[in-house]
Amino acid sequence: MSIALERLFDYDDFRKFLQDYFEEQKKMRAVFSHRFFAAKAGFSSSSYCLNVIRGRFNLTPKSIEKIAKAMDFKPLQKSYFEALVQYNQANQVDQRENAWEQIQQIRKQIEFTHITTREQLYFSKWYYPIVRELAVSSKWGGDYMTLARLVDPQITTDEAREAIKNLLEWGLIRELPDDGKSGTTRYEETAQMLDATRIPPMALRQIRREYIQHAIGAVESKPKDERFAAFTTLAMSESSYNYAVEVLEEARKKIISRASNDTNVEKIYELMVVAFPMSKKVKKEV
């Protein structure tokens, strides 16, 4: 069984999924090649899938059907792959949002036993998500001391080294082949987003507290042009509160959508959107 296929629901990028699948199949079967798969799927060009992986071509509905048949997708896998293609290829924000909603809905139907365990460990340390982003976005040159100092607040060199080791073991990052130019080890993410919705609340309690503490520290110490904080006390009905939640969630999704396409990473940010009651329900006289 293909490991890449088993982990299809982990992917946020269909091109990375195809790349992993092809690399895995080449190792498993000497006969496997882009030409072999193209013939199996019914593509006239033997390099079609290679061009798709490299971003030169987009997938069409017909080509999705051919790939799904060649890979022997189950119905839910096919639906997920279609949504993934729509998410990655969409030109409009609303199209990306609709596709992301489909992805989330499908994920909720799947029991990710290995994902739950992996993500539970991933969210056990506040700096794991930070190190993961820095590992692929910064030029730290394989120097764990440099990587540790990039984290704010700074972690130890041993913590940075252990984080990279664990992230590799959990399959959340992977080492890239030597391109012969940089001269240092490079990494990339296996997926852009990780879903914590299936993690027990108790398992997330500590990391959430730590992020809130860091947020307090940032508000008190960071210059205003480096952080954003707004505090507003409002008196409103439950319907107005529900409206506020909808607006905030829509804004959060738009920010995530833009960030996922941002190739000019300069810093790692933590975004928290919080709204909560500060009083009991007000009783009104009839």
Side-chain angles (χ1 to χ4, degrees):
M1 178 64 179
S2 166
I3 295 176
L5 198 54
E6 283 184 341
R7 292 184 174 178
L8 170 61
F9 300 103
D10 298 9
Y11 286 86
D12 296 329
D13 187 331
F14 79 89
R15 299 183 200 273
K16 285 186 179 181
F17 163 72
L18 290 176
Q19 181 182 17
D20 287 354
Y21 178 83
F22 276 86
E23 289 177 356
E24 179 190 59
Q25 292 300 309
K26 287 178 183 178
K27 292 177 182 178
M28 292 173 61
R29 296 186 288 170
V31 70
F32 191 90
S33 65
H34 286 284
R35 184 184 298 276
F36 175 88
F37 185 83
K40 182 181 179 182
F43 292 120
S44 57
S45 171
S46 61
S47 61
Y48 178 76
C49 287
L50 181 62
N51 283 317
V52 169
I53 290 171
R54 291 178 176 175
R56 295 171 182 167
F57 296 160
N58 279 344
L59 287 181
T60 64
K62 286 185 178 180
S63 57
I64 292 174
E65 288 288 338
K66 291 180 178 180
I67 288 175
K69 186 176 181 180
M71 289 191 180
D72 196 24
F73 280 158
K74 296 177 181 177
L76 202 58
Q77 289 175 321
K78 182 184 175 185
S79 296
Y80 185 86
F81 187 74
E82 288 173 335
L84 204 57
V85 172
Q86 292 171 13
Y87 175 68
N88 294 147
Q89 295 184 173
N91 295 319
Q92 302 295 326
V93 173
D94 59 340
Q95 293 175 336
R96 283 179 62 83
E97 289 180 351
N98 290 336
W100 182 250
E101 284 295 329
Q102 293 178 46
I103 289 170
Q104 293 292 71
Q105 289 174 11
I106 294 172
R107 282 178 171 175
K108 288 178 182 178
Q109 299 178 48
I110 307 299
E111 288 295 331
F112 288 122
T113 305
H114 68 288
I115 297 295
T116 301
T117 302
R118 183 186 69 176
E119 291 190 349
Q120 205 162 328
L121 292 170
Y122 175 68
F123 289 111
S124 66
K125 303 284 188 182
W126 68 267
Y127 54 84
Y128 280 163
I130 315 301
V131 170
R132 179 172 180 256
E133 299 299 330
L134 285 171
V136 303
S137 302
S138 66
K139 295 181 179 179
W140 57 288
D143 185 340
Y144 291 102
M145 182 179 290
T146 298
L147 180 61
R149 289 177 176 175
L150 284 171
V151 181
D152 187 10
Q154 184 178 319
I155 60 176
T156 68
T157 302
D158 287 341
E159 287 173 332
R161 183 181 290 105
E162 182 185 30
I164 293 295
K165 174 178 173 290
N166 288 337
L167 290 168
L168 285 168
E169 288 181 354
W170 298 333
L172 297 178
I173 60 173
R174 62 185 165 203
E175 189 175 328
L176 289 170
D178 186 1
D179 60 2
K181 298 178 182 179
S182 60
T184 58
T185 304
R186 298 174 303 125
Y187 299 92
E188 69 175 359
E189 295 174 340
T190 55
Q192 287 185 323
M193 303 293 178
L194 281 96
D195 186 9
T197 57
R198 301 190 68 84
I199 308 299
M202 288 293 293
L204 294 172
R205 179 173 293 182
Q206 182 60 32
I207 193 172
R208 284 173 175 167
R209 286 178 175 176
E210 289 175 339
Y211 278 136
I212 289 172
Q213 288 299 320
H214 290 317
I216 294 171
V219 170
E220 294 177 347
S221 63
K222 299 287 184 186
K224 288 185 177 180
D225 61 345
E226 290 188 11
R227 50 81 177 171
F228 173 81
F231 303 89
T232 308
T233 303
L234 300 170
M236 56 184 175
S237 63
E238 287 189 7
S239 62
S240 293
Y241 168 76
N242 291 334
Y243 170 76
V245 171
E246 289 179 8
V247 172
L248 292 172
E249 181 60 16
E250 182 179 356
R252 189 182 73 91
K253 288 179 180 178
K254 287 182 177 179
I255 294 169
I256 290 173
S257 178
R258 171 152 182 167
S260 65
N261 289 316
D262 195 340
T263 57
N264 184 32
V265 176
E266 295 177 307
K267 288 185 179 181
I268 311 303
Y269 291 85
E270 183 65 29
L271 175 67
M272 284 183 280
V273 182
V274 180
F276 53 92
M278 290 290 287
S279 77
K280 303 293 184 181
K281 193 166 185 177
V282 177
K283 293 183 179 179
K284 294 186 177 180
E285 293 184 12
V286 179

